[in-house]
Amino acid sequence: MKKTRKPKSITENGKKPAQFRLLPAVLLSALAVGLGYAVLSLPSQASGLSEPVAANLESSGVSNPVTAVLLNFRGYDTLLELGVLLLALLGVWSLGAAPKRRESSPGLVLEMLSRLLVPLLILVAGYLLWIGVHAPGGAFQAGSVLATAGVLSLLTGWRLDTRFSGLPLRITLVAGLGVFVVVGIVLIPMGGRLLAYPPSFAGALILLIEAAATLSIGITLAALFLGGRPETGGHS
Amino acid sequence: MSSAFLYALVGVGLFTLGLYALIVHTHLLRKILAINVMASGVFLVLVALAARTQGATPDPVPHAMVITGIVVAVSATALALALMLRVRAETGRAELAEESQE
Amino acid sequence: MNTVPSALLLILVPLLPLLLVFPALRSRFSRPCYIALLPALILLAVPQAVSIDLPWLLMGSGLGIDDGAGRLLLAMSVLLWAVAASLLHSVNGKPVDDRLTSCFLLTLAGNLGAILATDLVGFFTFSSLMGYGFYALLIAGGGAETRRAARVYLVCLIVADLALFEALLIAAATARDLDFEAVRQAMAQSASPGLYLSMVLAGFALKAGIWPLHFWLPLAFRSFPPAVALLLGAVPVAIALLGFVRWLPLGEVRLPALGLIIQAMGAAAMFYAILAAAKRAQPIRLPACAAIFASGLFTTFLGVGLGDPVAWNRHGNVAYFLIVFLGSGVAVLVIITGWRRARGHYPTMSGKPVDDSPPWFERWSGALTRWAAQVGGLSRLCAAWRAKVGGLRQIRAWQRALHGSERFLQRWAYAITLFLLLGIVVVFAGASSWI
Amino acid sequence: MSWDSALPLFVLASSLLPGLVIFFLPEERVAIRTTLNLAGAVLKLALVGVMIWGVFHGSHYETRLPLLPGLDLLLRADSLSMLFVVLSSVLWLVTTVYAVGYLEGSPNRSRFFGFFSLCVTATIGVALAGNLVTFLLFYELLTLATYPLIVHRGTDEARRAGRTYLIYTIAGGALLLIGTAWLYTLSGTLAFTARGFLSGLDESHNGVLVVIFVLLIAGLGVKAALIPLHGWLPQAMVAAAPVSALLHAVAVVKAGAFGIVRVVYDVYGLQFSASLGVTLPLAIVAAVTIIYGSMRALFQDDLKRRLAFSTVSQVAYIVLGITIVGPLAAVGGLVHLVHQGVMKITLFFCAGNLAETLGIHNVSEMNGVGRRMPWTMVAFTVAAFGMIGTPPLAGFVSKWYLGLGALDGGQGWVIFVLAGSSLLNAAYFLPILYAAWFKAPPDAWLAERSFGGRETAWALLAPPLVTAFLTLALGLLASAPFSPLQWARFITRLEYTP
Amino acid sequence: MSYVPDIHWGVMVIVLPLAGAVCCFLWPRRAVPLGLVTALGIVACVAGLGWQVVEQGAQRYAVGGWGAPLGIDLYADGLSLLMLMVAAVAGLGISVYSCGYFHRPDAKRDKAKHFWPLWMFLWAALNALFLSADIFNLYVTLELLGLAAVALVALAGGADALTGAMRYLLVSLLGSLFYLLGVALLYHGFGSVDITLLAERVEPSPVVWAAMGLMVTGLLLKTALFPLHFWLPSAHASAPAPVSALLSALVVKASFYILLRLWLEIFPFANAALAQLLGLLGAAAVLWGGFQALFQARLKMLIAYSTVAQLGYLFLAFPLANVIGWTGALYMLLSHAVAKTAMFMAAGNILYFGGHDRIVDLDRVVQRLPLTITAFALAGVSIMGLPPSGGFIAKWLLLEAAIRAAQWWWGGILILGGLLSAAWVFKVVGYAFTQSEVPHETRTVPASMEWTALVMAVVAILLGLFAPWPLALLEIGSPFGRENAG
């Protein structure tokens, strides 16, 4: 918390001088002790919300409690969180165009490996998405794997065709958030509440949302890796 | 003391460690990393303490929270890194200058 | 004679001269000074006592004239002013300086109004109007010497007015009506008339130039055309004396000690006047001495009246005659002087350079200057001051003095103010315990 | 909203709306601007006339808007406010005419007249305020509206003066705010009530009430230029002449004095403040101010500065009149509120005329100016004599009642203060008159402007003559019905008869 | 009896800006009209929600239909409604202003297409934050808010803005993490993240103290309370003008709002010493910010420091702890938001017109922008707390609260702060009255920018005349109900 002003002199290793390190160390040790004490004072037995989750798992449309919480019980959080992701991308894009990389040959091994790995990764992503309904997995995990595929391709010099880097790319990026919002809104006249899935097709809706989210997350993360706006075919 | 608490304490430790690093280091990359370490500490506390359900499956809500938290952290880190690159491009240093006034 | 015309006439007596003060309003008349006197003349012709209440004026005022003394005084004043006007107009046979005429009329209005006033406030108002008018007249008409006199007179006037104002307040606090008669009664019954009496005495003594408060009077006669100066000087003196009669509860109270003091003062004044006349028997100073003598006489009389109300009641009217005597005596003197010197030249009124003056004036003024030099430091200071007039250095000196005093004040004003206030409080406390 | 409850708003709006419109007028639309200004002023005068007639016959004009729960924005026409309202609206009209003439051809006139109207609006608001918080509101508004007028010329000196003014007035406003809020928490009401609303409070609060009184008076004393809070006033004389006139005669200084009257009469109540023992110290402060101001005025060569110090001295008369506990002194104080305004505005008009026509700013440059500008100097002379307190002019009437009240209230020392002040007044005014009338004029004036045979422009000459005439009339006709004196008596009757 | 269709206005208030953000992102060329339409829609929805709340009292809305412990609730009482309205008023103004500001003939034109989606996201985050009744959901909205704000700051480009944004981002993340750790402790201690449930369950214990410490610290960091304000001036001053406006007016207020909610609902037992400490820090902020503002060389820096000072006022209500005090603090928040928006807009106009905002050289600029300087002055009136303005009402309430609580010294701070602001406001306004006529290279300011600034300033003034309405709103759902004893 003492991060007020930085001293004029900074030591060679990028750290502040000793006298500026000692005080935080002492204070933070005290903080750690205090926090630790607080943590330890918690009751050793607590079920949290696991019971109501288990009780309502039936009507959530999925059988994996984490997915149920994530996309149904606390789906609103997840919706906003997709917003955060999109926002980060917007922020990065607003900083300017993607830095130009020196075009170097990725090397034979990498090239071969990427050709092998990318389809596999996409497949794994699909699987993770699918299994998320029942077991650990889901949109974020799947999206991350998808993003790996994208990053790998980018590292090997692949670039999105400028034909697709305009509106099509943007649509893909917002698909997750968009589908989520649209589903949530559409449900209002039907179920009466935002994001209140009717139990009968809750599962299907969740899968739909997750699928769109996976795509968006994957592409977004890959785009973030690029560190800036991609070149587009149309306007700047 | 159950293992849940042990992990939670480790989480607290990570949190304070990250905070220390954030204060002490001047290079922006280190600062960003420090923030990430702190975040990990918090997530660890969240997840570890969820396992206090005697025998039954752990509380799923903190897990969901952590997933949300991770996505947020990833997004923020991405933005921070991009920003750091811009700062470096503009000022030539990946450090926060003293408040420049005119 | 019904009331409306007479009331209008009463109002017109001071109002017409006042209106004619403005040059624009009198430009059509060839002899405004005479015209201004007309209403008073007509009023004199009205055979009975007239009066009018003006409740809306000031704090509720009134004008009026009785059959006896007031009428006499008015008549004397009209005569006096007519003479003065004729003197003003005969100068070089040309119309006089506009400003001079204005001042003249202002003084005239004050004078006539003061005679007609039936209450303290009215009298006070008109007499101070006259006072300031007279000051302006002196300034506008005279040379440097007269101006100095005027300044002295002004200081006397202001101080006198302040004293009278205090007296007025005390009177108003004591009596609910400010008629002369009511105030007289109230003061007679008042437990502590001391402050009132001393204020009135001090005030009018200053105005009348009674010894030892006479110092402005001789000065006023110096470089001004002597006759005019004399004449004009008589006017405020007469009005001030009238003030004594009107304001003091004469014939009602018995204050032997105060009366004795005043008698002594009066006697001293007369003595001084005789001495002065004997010492430097110059024709010009003679009237001044006469004026001082007359006022001394009057003061003595006043002292008698204060000490012995019975005597006052029996002989009180003599006071009016004394005043009239003073006034008309002066008038006659002036007329005689004027007639004797009709062939000669009077110096112009608007302060031409002394070189243009006829030889006799030079002689006189030289003598006067010598006399002034003998008076001492004051005139030397004055001469020194005049030596610097016109020089740039003098302006700078002034500015420096201003700045210096301002700086001094900035630093010490609080202290001085507090000191003054403290003084006021102490004096007041002392005075109230004494009276 | 009925007529009775809307009238105070209309009175406010009659200057506010023209002001707002004028802000947006282009600089060159002189005719429209002048018309708007004058129409507003005349309309206000008419409305005020209706209002005063109504108040005299017992109508209640009251506008109430909720400001906070339990606290209203209250505009109310009572007898005391009418005194100030009439003064402000009459002098506004006169000053507007003068300002139109004075500023002819100068830049930024739309801004000037806009703030000018705002300033008057704020003054009227101060006058009509029915409770302390409304008063505070307009009081601060006045500060804000006056600042641009003071710095209008934009010279460094003007801006310095503006800064000083702000430092004083905003600090004063802050004190007033604290006092007001404190009072509110104690009493739960702030509405001005005849004979005050605090006397019913528990006696244990008396100590606090004294502190609050000091806060309020200190806050108001800044604008009323009581020493030692007067420092801004002499500096503010760098402003243009109409502004000085307005500042000294109507708006700022008077608002402070009027506020003190309100606090003493309608918040604390005269008897209650006397029993708290706060009136005598205030009277002493006023007395010190009177003497001090006059003494400083004595040594000022700058004419407007001299007049400014004279204001310091003269406004304290009002306070003095209020704090001598007695009906007669109160009449004196209240009537001086009007009389001082009329006289001082005349003097500033004349000073402005001299500056504008001949370039004269200093007393030492005024030799013989009476011959060049006789009418201006006649007005000046009348007002100066009024200030000295010479009968039969307006100043005499005020001094008369002040002195009488002092005797009546057993505070004899006051008449000596009055006497001393009159003496000093004479000492700093008469040399001016002497120089102007009787000294020889210089060969050439400093910066003479020609006005085709007349001594100066018509719009510059008429206002001082009108106000000089008023000075005379207010004194001569003091006892006539509807004169300020009678109105002041009317007010004190309300205050003193249970 | 409701005249308003029974729509879930609260949901609309959140979804609409999100949808707007997505649309603006998808069709950047149409960003301006899309953004404006969305802004108007949001204002309408807030009005609808306001009507609903006024008619039917505080509203609770279970997203997903699950209800409190399991799902997330939205909750709208007078307090949240007031905050939404602040955001709506300031937001609408900023939206209109931005049209002119970003529509530049020079090369920076594409800023607009980034500005609008970011701004809509930010607005959505604000609305979601004000409506949330769930402390974890608050964390997500806080992050959404923080990232959007950082991105907007960085939009200005240049070393100053980027460094400012970077520092802001780190601070923001740090604050969020503190807050999140607090949330974690609370959840594990009491098994819920719903504010109402927590309010019922929480009792003083080490966990609660730790959580409170963490959350309060984190939020103070984000609210930039002295001495944690170090990041604010550079971030606020270097951002583009509309962004500065919304950062000062809204973003810092959001974390204050959370703090207030937590303080009132979850930690009402917080001891007086802590409240006094917050008050002291607030007082220090008022004085420090005021002095710093006075000595700044650049206009936007000055205004930013004044934000530091004004935030201090908000914390003066903590030690007073009575309803009037809270009301005063919130009214301060409201009027400061509007006034500061106007002020930053005015500064933006000046910068746009003259190309610089050095205070000593302002005389050549402000004379030719009468509307702008009027807006600045009027906003300044409110900031100073002079009547008739919203700032005055706020100060009056705070002063009254201080005297009632027999802690008059806070009142002294209020007054001192007012004097300090007066000093710098008039320092700037004074330049409008100079006579210098030095020619200066200028760029014409679009009329919409000048008028928006003026309108916002006038609103700040009018807030002083129509105070009873917002104050009546605040009583709905009695957010300060439990503090009534104070």
Side-chain angles (χ1 to χ4, degrees), chain B residues 15 19 22 28 31-32 35 38-39 42-43 45-47 49-50 52 59 61-62 65 68-69 72 75-76 79-80 83-84 86-87 90-91 95-102, chain E residues 70 136 139-140 143 147 150-151 154 158-160 162-163 165-167 169-170 173-174 177-178 180-181 184-185 187-189 193 214 230-231 233-234 296-298 301 305 358:
Chain B
F15 181 80
L19 187 53
L22 180 68
L28 281 175
K31 280 187 185 288
I32 294 167
I35 289 273
M38 283 178 77
V42 178
F43 299 148
V45 172
L46 257 178
V47 172
L49 290 174
R52 289 176 300 156
D59 185 358
V61 175
M65 287 178 183
T68 309
V72 169
S75 317
L79 183 60
L83 206 51
M84 181 192 87
R86 295 287 160 187
V87 168
E90 281 284 341
T91 64
E95 282 169 359
L96 289 180
E98 290 294 306
E99 278 176 35
S100 69
Q101 288 181 17
E102 248 340 67
Chain E
L70 193 56
F136 185 78
Y139 163 74
V140 179
E143 285 289 19
L147 292 189
V150 169
D160 275 352
L162 288 172
T163 338
M166 190 72 224
R167 187 181 282 120
L169 178 59
L170 290 176
L173 290 175
L174 183 66
L177 286 174
F178 267 82
L180 185 60
L181 188 55
L185 291 180
Y187 176 77
H188 286 303
V193 280
L214 287 168
F230 54 89
W231 58 270
S234 62
Q296 290 306 312
R298 285 182 44 219
M301 259 331 226
Y305 267 110
R358 289 185 303 278

Side-chain angles (χ1 to χ4, degrees), chain D residues 436-453:
Chain D
W437 289 114
F438 301 116
K439 284 196 177 167
D443 297 332
W445 300 101
L446 292 172
E448 190 168 1
R449 279 172 60 193
S450 169
F451 288 94

Side-chain angles (χ1 to χ4, degrees), chain C residues 170-190:
Chain C
I170 298 166
T174 319
R176 281 303 156 203
D177 199 350
L178 285 176
D179 270 9
F180 290 128
E181 198 51 40
V183 171
R184 224 174 278 155
Q185 301 282 345
M187 276 303 147
Q189 284 149 19
S190 160

Side-chain angles (χ1 to χ4, degrees), chain C residues 101-125:
Chain C
T101 313
S102 289
C103 300
F104 181 89
L105 288 166
L106 204 62
T107 321
L108 171 61
N111 185 2
L112 295 180
I115 291 172
L116 293 185
T118 58
D119 62 329
L120 260 58
V121 180
F123 188 89
F124 179 58
T125 306

Side-chain angles (χ1 to χ4, degrees), chain C residues 56-335:
Chain C
W56 44 264
L57 189 73
L58 286 169
M59 264 60 76
S61 197
L63 291 175
I65 186 162
D66 56 9
D67 253 347
R71 192 171 293 272
L72 203 60
L73 277 172
L74 189 63
M76 184 270 288
S77 295
V78 170
L79 173 68
L80 220 57
W81 284 104
V83 172
S86 72
L87 284 175
L88 271 181
H89 277 277
S90 62
V91 176
N92 298 342
K94 285 181 201 162
V96 209
D97 185 348
D98 247 9
R99 283 185 304 156
L100 202 61
T101 313
S102 289
C103 300
F104 181 89
L105 288 166
L106 204 62
T107 321
L108 171 61
N111 185 2
L112 295 180
I115 291 172
L116 293 185
T118 58
D119 62 329
L120 260 58
V121 180
F123 188 89
F124 179 58
T125 306
F126 282 117
S127 69
S128 44
L129 180 66
M130 187 199 70
Y132 287 112
F134 183 59
Y135 161 75
L137 200 55
L138 289 183
I139 291 280
E145 285 286 293
T146 316
R147 272 196 228 123
R148 199 157 69 82
R151 274 197 293 276
V152 176
Y153 174 68
L154 182 65
V155 173
C156 292
L157 179 69
I158 291 168
V159 175
D161 269 354
L162 284 178
L164 290 178
F165 183 65
E166 311 283 285
L168 205 54
L169 289 176
I170 298 166
T174 319
R176 281 303 156 203
D177 199 350
L178 285 176
D179 270 9
F180 290 128
E181 198 51 40
V183 171
R184 224 174 278 155
Q185 301 282 345
M187 276 303 147
Q189 284 149 19
S190 160
S192 55
L195 192 59
Y196 174 77
L197 292 180
S198 31
M199 286 297 162
V200 171
L201 283 172
F204 284 118
L206 271 172
K207 283 197 170 192
I210 290 176
W211 188 90
L213 305 175
H214 69 287
F215 32 76
W216 65 269
L217 204 57
L219 286 173
F221 294 127
R222 232 168 273 163
S223 66
F224 212 83
V228 180
L230 181 57
L231 173 62
L232 299 175
V235 170
V237 174
I239 291 299
L241 296 182
L242 180 64
F244 277 125
V245 180
R246 290 264 157 100
W247 287 46
L248 289 176
L250 293 161
E252 307 276 351
V253 290
R254 184 186 169 79
L255 296 165
L258 192 61
L260 209 61
I261 296 171
I262 293 171
Q263 280 178 52
M265 276 166 53
M270 287 191 285
F271 185 63
Y272 169 83
I274 293 168
L275 264 187
K279 198 174 167 193
R280 299 194 203 291
Q282 296 165 342
I284 183 64
R285 286 186 55 79
L286 224 49
C289 294
I292 295 175
F293 183 84
S295 60
L297 187 64
F298 180 84
T299 316
T300 319
F301 192 70
L302 207 64
V304 173
L306 268 179
D308 185 359
V310 185
W312 177 266
N313 284 338
R314 203 175 304 148
H315 307 293
N317 283 341
V318 178
Y320 290 102
F321 287 104
L322 263 177
I323 298 170
V324 174
F325 161 74
L326 171 73
S328 39
V330 167
V332 170
L333 256 175
V334 168
I335 292 168

Side-chain angles (χ1 to χ4, degrees), chain B residues 1-97:
Chain B
M1 194 171 79
S2 71
S3 60
F5 282 98
L6 193 62
Y7 284 119
L9 285 182
V10 171
V12 169
L14 281 177
F15 181 80
T16 41
L17 206 60
L19 187 53
Y20 176 74
L22 180 68
I23 295 170
V24 167
H25 288 285
T26 53
H27 196 282
L28 281 175
L29 188 58
R30 287 172 190 263
K31 280 187 185 288
I32 294 167
L33 283 176
I35 289 273
N36 271 291
V37 170
M38 283 178 77
S40 307
V42 178
F43 299 148
L44 194 54
V45 172
L46 257 178
V47 172
L49 290 174
R52 289 176 300 156
T53 50
Q54 199 71 359
T57 48
D59 185 358
V61 175
H63 289 84
M65 287 178 183
V66 167
I67 289 182
T68 309
I70 287 173
V71 174
V72 169
V74 166
S75 317
T77 308
L79 183 60
L81 288 171
L83 206 51
M84 181 192 87
L85 290 176
R86 295 287 160 187
V87 168
R88 205 189 125 125
E90 281 284 341
T91 64
R93 296 188 311 155
E95 282 169 359
L96 289 180

